[in-house]
Amino acid sequence: MRVLALIPARAGSKRLPGKNKRLLGGKPLIAWSLEVARDTTEICDVLVSTDDPEIAQIAQQAGALVPWLRPPSLATDTATSVDVAAHALEWYRSSKSAELDGLLLLQPTSPFRRRETVRRGLELFARNADRAVVGVSSAHPHPQWCFRIEHGVLKPYVDASGLQARSQDLPAAYAVNGALYLIAPELLFRERTFVPEGTLPLVLDDPMEAVDIDTQFDWEVAEAVCTMRRMPFA
């Protein structure tokens, strides 16, 4: 099985500027994902898509492919992960003249996913190559306890009856945690989503693996994790 690992890491971030090269636990944030992808047999190459020369240098020093700086049209807030992945896949196919069985998207904002978790995802995908695999974690709060606000008042998102249930009586609910997306290139091109119908869940039970850095508060949580667990996460 040949799988390309893609790490998207653009320079811009309105809520946390420069986060992908910001030091976490003594190394750039993107380095955590680069290290997890390294030395995994099924991963034929690790490609970093970035518009930042400094991130490109960090990635190249770690042994990743950085064949170009991402075009400006794919480095905006409106550019989607699918657009970025399609651009990378088209380049890889044309330059390497090699077919891929899968594309593994590893967002640098999920630094604590473990190498063993990636391997579990690859094993699940190998048995179900016609399906996508996505990392999920228990949803907190439970969707039965979530509301929207309409005309200044609370309206339950799901069913008002769920508000009366004890937490232990509610059915299990899961949320996509952003740690791992794995899909066949043909399926991605056809469906234009990383989570098409029939997607298989890879459940991450350790809440630390589900940490997704998007804000300054998230960053402080990640720093606290590093302080509490002074151990390798790969």
Side-chain angles (χ1 to χ4, degrees), residues 87-107:
H87 174 259
L89 283 169
E90 287 167 354
W91 174 85
Y92 192 87
R93 281 177 163 177
S94 64
S95 66
K96 297 289 186 176
S97 299
E99 289 302 316
L100 293 168
D101 299 297
L103 176 73
L104 173 64
L105 182 72
L106 298 174
Q107 298 184 145

PDB file of all heavy atoms in Angstrom, residues 87-107:
ATOM      1  N   HIS A  87      -4.451  19.969  -5.223  1.00  0.00           N
ATOM      2  CA  HIS A  87      -3.256  20.593  -5.809  1.00  0.00           C
ATOM      3  C   HIS A  87      -2.030  19.729  -5.556  1.00  0.00           C
ATOM      4  O   HIS A  87      -1.210  19.475  -6.468  1.00  0.00           O
ATOM      5  CB  HIS A  87      -3.072  21.992  -5.210  1.00  0.00           C
ATOM      6  CG  HIS A  87      -1.807  22.677  -5.620  1.00  0.00           C
ATOM      7  ND1 HIS A  87      -0.702  22.741  -4.795  1.00  0.00           N
ATOM      8  CD2 HIS A  87      -1.463  23.317  -6.760  1.00  0.00           C
ATOM      9  CE1 HIS A  87       0.261  23.411  -5.406  1.00  0.00           C
ATOM     10  NE2 HIS A  87      -0.160  23.766  -6.599  1.00  0.00           N
ATOM     11  N   ALA A  88      -1.866  19.236  -4.328  1.00  0.00           N
ATOM     12  CA  ALA A  88      -0.716  18.410  -3.983  1.00  0.00           C
ATOM     13  C   ALA A  88      -0.744  17.070  -4.719  1.00  0.00           C
ATOM     14  O   ALA A  88       0.287  16.593  -5.206  1.00  0.00           O
ATOM     15  CB  ALA A  88      -0.678  18.186  -2.473  1.00  0.00           C
ATOM     16  N   LEU A  89      -1.917  16.459  -4.800  1.00  0.00           N
ATOM     17  CA  LEU A  89      -2.039  15.167  -5.471  1.00  0.00           C
ATOM     18  C   LEU A  89      -1.731  15.273  -6.963  1.00  0.00           C
ATOM     19  O   LEU A  89      -1.066  14.393  -7.535  1.00  0.00           O
ATOM     20  CB  LEU A  89      -3.447  14.615  -5.274  1.00  0.00           C
ATOM     21  CG  LEU A  89      -3.747  13.993  -3.904  1.00  0.00           C
ATOM     22  CD1 LEU A  89      -5.239  13.743  -3.752  1.00  0.00           C
ATOM     23  CD2 LEU A  89      -2.964  12.695  -3.716  1.00  0.00           C
ATOM     24  N   GLU A  90      -2.218  16.332  -7.575  1.00  0.00           N
ATOM     25  CA  GLU A  90      -1.971  16.505  -9.011  1.00  0.00           C
ATOM     26  C   GLU A  90      -0.480  16.670  -9.281  1.00  0.00           C
ATOM     27  O   GLU A  90       0.056  16.120 -10.250  1.00  0.00           O
ATOM     28  CB  GLU A  90      -2.771  17.697  -9.536  1.00  0.00           C
ATOM     29  CG  GLU A  90      -4.268  17.401  -9.624  1.00  0.00           C
ATOM     30  CD  GLU A  90      -5.096  18.652  -9.837  1.00  0.00           C
ATOM     31  OE1 GLU A  90      -4.515  19.771  -9.810  1.00  0.00           O
ATOM     32  OE2 GLU A  90      -6.322  18.531 -10.003  1.00  0.00           O
ATOM     33  N   TRP A  91       0.207  17.429  -8.440  1.00  0.00           N
ATOM     34  CA  TRP A  91       1.651  17.570  -8.616  1.00  0.00           C
ATOM     35  C   TRP A  91       2.351  16.234  -8.409  1.00  0.00           C
ATOM     36  O   TRP A  91       3.221  15.848  -9.201  1.00  0.00           O
ATOM     37  CB  TRP A  91       2.230  18.584  -7.619  1.00  0.00           C
ATOM     38  CG  TRP A  91       3.736  18.608  -7.712  1.00  0.00           C
ATOM     39  CD1 TRP A  91       4.499  19.324  -8.579  1.00  0.00           C
ATOM     40  CD2 TRP A  91       4.652  17.810  -6.940  1.00  0.00           C
ATOM     41  NE1 TRP A  91       5.827  19.034  -8.394  1.00  0.00           N
ATOM     42  CE2 TRP A  91       5.947  18.111  -7.404  1.00  0.00           C
ATOM     43  CE3 TRP A  91       4.490  16.884  -5.910  1.00  0.00           C
ATOM     44  CZ2 TRP A  91       7.084  17.515  -6.857  1.00  0.00           C
ATOM     45  CZ3 TRP A  91       5.623  16.280  -5.379  1.00  0.00           C
ATOM     46  CH2 TRP A  91       6.901  16.600  -5.844  1.00  0.00           C
ATOM     47  N   TYR A  92       1.983  15.510  -7.356  1.00  0.00           N
ATOM     48  CA  TYR A  92       2.669  14.255  -7.040  1.00  0.00           C
ATOM     49  C   TYR A  92       2.507  13.242  -8.165  1.00  0.00           C
ATOM     50  O   TYR A  92       3.471  12.577  -8.563  1.00  0.00           O
ATOM     51  CB  TYR A  92       2.126  13.684  -5.730  1.00  0.00           C
ATOM     52  CG  TYR A  92       2.965  12.555  -5.181  1.00  0.00           C
ATOM     53  CD1 TYR A  92       4.057  12.816  -4.351  1.00  0.00           C
ATOM     54  CD2 TYR A  92       2.681  11.237  -5.499  1.00  0.00           C
ATOM     55  CE1 TYR A  92       4.847  11.785  -3.862  1.00  0.00           C
ATOM     56  CE2 TYR A  92       3.463  10.195  -5.008  1.00  0.00           C
ATOM     57  CZ  TYR A  92       4.541  10.479  -4.186  1.00  0.00           C
ATOM     58  OH  TYR A  92       5.328   9.449  -3.707  1.00  0.00           O
ATOM     59  N   ARG A  93       1.295  13.148  -8.682  1.00  0.00           N
ATOM     60  CA  ARG A  93       1.036  12.193  -9.760  1.00  0.00           C
ATOM     61  C   ARG A  93       1.843  12.528 -11.015  1.00  0.00           C
ATOM     62  O   ARG A  93       2.402  11.651 -11.664  1.00  0.00           O
ATOM     63  CB  ARG A  93      -0.456  12.181 -10.089  1.00  0.00           C
ATOM     64  CG  ARG A  93      -1.302  11.363  -9.120  1.00  0.00           C
ATOM     65  CD  ARG A  93      -2.751  11.474  -9.481  1.00  0.00           C
ATOM     66  NE  ARG A  93      -3.559  10.433  -8.873  1.00  0.00           N
ATOM     67  CZ  ARG A  93      -4.870  10.348  -8.991  1.00  0.00           C
ATOM     68  NH1 ARG A  93      -5.535  11.256  -9.696  1.00  0.00           N
ATOM     69  NH2 ARG A  93      -5.537   9.359  -8.411  1.00  0.00           N
ATOM     70  N   SER A  94       1.909  13.793 -11.344  1.00  0.00           N
ATOM     71  CA  SER A  94       2.592  14.191 -12.575  1.00  0.00           C
ATOM     72  C   SER A  94       4.105  14.118 -12.450  1.00  0.00           C
ATOM     73  O   SER A  94       4.803  13.792 -13.414  1.00  0.00           O
ATOM     74  CB  SER A  94       2.177  15.611 -12.973  1.00  0.00           C
ATOM     75  OG  SER A  94       2.598  16.541 -11.984  1.00  0.00           O
ATOM     76  N   SER A  95       4.637  14.403 -11.269  1.00  0.00           N
ATOM     77  CA  SER A  95       6.087  14.442 -11.102  1.00  0.00           C
ATOM     78  C   SER A  95       6.686  13.093 -10.744  1.00  0.00           C
ATOM     79  O   SER A  95       7.793  12.762 -11.153  1.00  0.00           O
ATOM     80  CB  SER A  95       6.479  15.468 -10.038  1.00  0.00           C
ATOM     81  OG  SER A  95       6.000  15.057  -8.774  1.00  0.00           O
ATOM     82  N   LYS A  96       5.939  12.301  -9.978  1.00  0.00           N
ATOM     83  CA  LYS A  96       6.454  11.010  -9.528  1.00  0.00           C
ATOM     84  C   LYS A  96       6.039   9.862 -10.442  1.00  0.00           C
ATOM     85  O   LYS A  96       6.597   8.763 -10.350  1.00  0.00           O
ATOM     86  CB  LYS A  96       5.964  10.721  -8.102  1.00  0.00           C
ATOM     87  CG  LYS A  96       6.456  11.709  -7.057  1.00  0.00           C
ATOM     88  CD  LYS A  96       7.936  11.521  -6.786  1.00  0.00           C
ATOM     89  CE  LYS A  96       8.398  12.406  -5.654  1.00  0.00           C
ATOM     90  NZ  LYS A  96       9.809  12.188  -5.301  1.00  0.00           N
ATOM     91  N   SER A  97       5.028  10.092 -11.260  1.00  0.00           N
ATOM     92  CA  SER A  97       4.498   9.049 -12.152  1.00  0.00           C
ATOM     93  C   SER A  97       4.205   7.773 -11.372  1.00  0.00           C
ATOM     94  O   SER A  97       4.527   6.658 -11.809  1.00  0.00           O
ATOM     95  CB  SER A  97       5.501   8.755 -13.282  1.00  0.00           C
ATOM     96  OG  SER A  97       5.727   9.918 -14.048  1.00  0.00           O
ATOM     97  N   ALA A  98       3.604   7.945 -10.206  1.00  0.00           N
ATOM     98  CA  ALA A  98       3.311   6.801  -9.343  1.00  0.00           C
ATOM     99  C   ALA A  98       1.875   6.908  -8.833  1.00  0.00           C
ATOM    100  O   ALA A  98       1.400   7.999  -8.495  1.00  0.00           O
ATOM    101  CB  ALA A  98       4.281   6.754  -8.168  1.00  0.00           C
ATOM    102  N   GLU A  99       1.213   5.770  -8.782  1.00  0.00           N
ATOM    103  CA  GLU A  99      -0.143   5.735  -8.263  1.00  0.00           C
ATOM    104  C   GLU A  99      -0.126   5.647  -6.737  1.00  0.00           C
ATOM    105  O   GLU A  99       0.775   5.051  -6.145  1.00  0.00           O
ATOM    106  CB  GLU A  99      -0.908   4.545  -8.850  1.00  0.00           C
ATOM    107  CG  GLU A  99      -1.253   4.706 -10.320  1.00  0.00           C
ATOM    108  CD  GLU A  99      -2.097   5.947 -10.591  1.00  0.00           C
ATOM    109  OE1 GLU A  99      -3.048   6.198  -9.827  1.00  0.00           O
ATOM    110  OE2 GLU A  99      -1.800   6.661 -11.558  1.00  0.00           O
ATOM    111  N   LEU A 100      -1.130   6.232  -6.138  1.00  0.00           N
ATOM    112  CA  LEU A 100      -1.269   6.215  -4.685  1.00  0.00           C
ATOM    113  C   LEU A 100      -2.533   5.471  -4.300  1.00  0.00           C
ATOM    114  O   LEU A 100      -3.572   5.614  -4.936  1.00  0.00           O
ATOM    115  CB  LEU A 100      -1.328   7.639  -4.142  1.00  0.00           C
ATOM    116  CG  LEU A 100      -0.062   8.482  -4.261  1.00  0.00           C
ATOM    117  CD1 LEU A 100      -0.366   9.946  -3.964  1.00  0.00           C
ATOM    118  CD2 LEU A 100       1.020   7.965  -3.307  1.00  0.00           C
ATOM    119  N   ASP A 101      -2.440   4.705  -3.210  1.00  0.00           N
ATOM    120  CA  ASP A 101      -3.634   4.043  -2.677  1.00  0.00           C
ATOM    121  C   ASP A 101      -4.395   4.965  -1.734  1.00  0.00           C
ATOM    122  O   ASP A 101      -5.617   4.848  -1.600  1.00  0.00           O
ATOM    123  CB  ASP A 101      -3.228   2.769  -1.925  1.00  0.00           C
ATOM    124  CG  ASP A 101      -2.536   1.775  -2.829  1.00  0.00           C
ATOM    125  OD1 ASP A 101      -3.181   1.305  -3.787  1.00  0.00           O
ATOM    126  OD2 ASP A 101      -1.352   1.484  -2.595  1.00  0.00           O
ATOM    127  N   GLY A 102      -3.667   5.859  -1.081  1.00  0.00           N
ATOM    128  CA  GLY A 102      -4.330   6.712  -0.114  1.00  0.00           C
ATOM    129  C   GLY A 102      -3.621   8.024   0.105  1.00  0.00           C
ATOM    130  O   GLY A 102      -2.422   8.177  -0.179  1.00  0.00           O
ATOM    131  N   LEU A 103      -4.385   8.986   0.609  1.00  0.00           N
ATOM    132  CA  LEU A 103      -3.851  10.276   1.040  1.00  0.00           C
ATOM    133  C   LEU A 103      -4.146  10.416   2.525  1.00  0.00           C
ATOM    134  O   LEU A 103      -5.306  10.294   2.954  1.00  0.00           O
ATOM    135  CB  LEU A 103      -4.505  11.426   0.277  1.00  0.00           C
ATOM    136  CG  LEU A 103      -4.069  12.820   0.739  1.00  0.00           C
ATOM    137  CD1 LEU A 103      -2.647  13.118   0.285  1.00  0.00           C
ATOM    138  CD2 LEU A 103      -5.020  13.901   0.227  1.00  0.00           C
ATOM    139  N   LEU A 104      -3.113  10.670   3.300  1.00  0.00           N
ATOM    140  CA  LEU A 104      -3.237  10.842   4.745  1.00  0.00           C
ATOM    141  C   LEU A 104      -3.027  12.318   5.071  1.00  0.00           C
ATOM    142  O   LEU A 104      -1.918  12.837   4.921  1.00  0.00           O
ATOM    143  CB  LEU A 104      -2.198   9.983   5.465  1.00  0.00           C
ATOM    144  CG  LEU A 104      -2.061  10.168   6.975  1.00  0.00           C
ATOM    145  CD1 LEU A 104      -3.340   9.761   7.692  1.00  0.00           C
ATOM    146  CD2 LEU A 104      -0.872   9.382   7.503  1.00  0.00           C
ATOM    147  N   LEU A 105      -4.085  12.990   5.492  1.00  0.00           N
ATOM    148  CA  LEU A 105      -3.994  14.402   5.863  1.00  0.00           C
ATOM    149  C   LEU A 105      -3.723  14.502   7.354  1.00  0.00           C
ATOM    150  O   LEU A 105      -4.506  14.022   8.174  1.00  0.00           O
ATOM    151  CB  LEU A 105      -5.287  15.131   5.515  1.00  0.00           C
ATOM    152  CG  LEU A 105      -5.300  16.639   5.812  1.00  0.00           C
ATOM    153  CD1 LEU A 105      -4.404  17.384   4.824  1.00  0.00           C
ATOM    154  CD2 LEU A 105      -6.705  17.200   5.760  1.00  0.00           C
ATOM    155  N   LEU A 106      -2.591  15.123   7.693  1.00  0.00           N
ATOM    156  CA  LEU A 106      -2.208  15.331   9.086  1.00  0.00           C
ATOM    157  C   LEU A 106      -2.118  16.824   9.338  1.00  0.00           C
ATOM    158  O   LEU A 106      -1.186  17.482   8.871  1.00  0.00           O
ATOM    159  CB  LEU A 106      -0.857  14.667   9.375  1.00  0.00           C
ATOM    160  CG  LEU A 106      -0.776  13.146   9.212  1.00  0.00           C
ATOM    161  CD1 LEU A 106       0.658  12.675   9.399  1.00  0.00           C
ATOM    162  CD2 LEU A 106      -1.709  12.444  10.185  1.00  0.00           C
ATOM    163  N   GLN A 107      -3.083  17.373  10.044  1.00  0.00           N
ATOM    164  CA  GLN A 107      -3.062  18.805  10.334  1.00  0.00           C
ATOM    165  C   GLN A 107      -2.056  19.087  11.449  1.00  0.00           C
ATOM    166  O   GLN A 107      -2.091  18.427  12.496  1.00  0.00           O
ATOM    167  CB  GLN A 107      -4.460  19.275  10.732  1.00  0.00           C
ATOM    168  CG  GLN A 107      -5.477  19.090   9.621  1.00  0.00           C
ATOM    169  CD  GLN A 107      -6.839  19.644   9.977  1.00  0.00           C
ATOM    170  OE1 GLN A 107      -7.538  20.168   9.118  1.00  0.00           O
ATOM    171  NE2 GLN A 107      -7.243  19.513  11.232  1.00  0.00           N
TER     172      GLN A 107
END
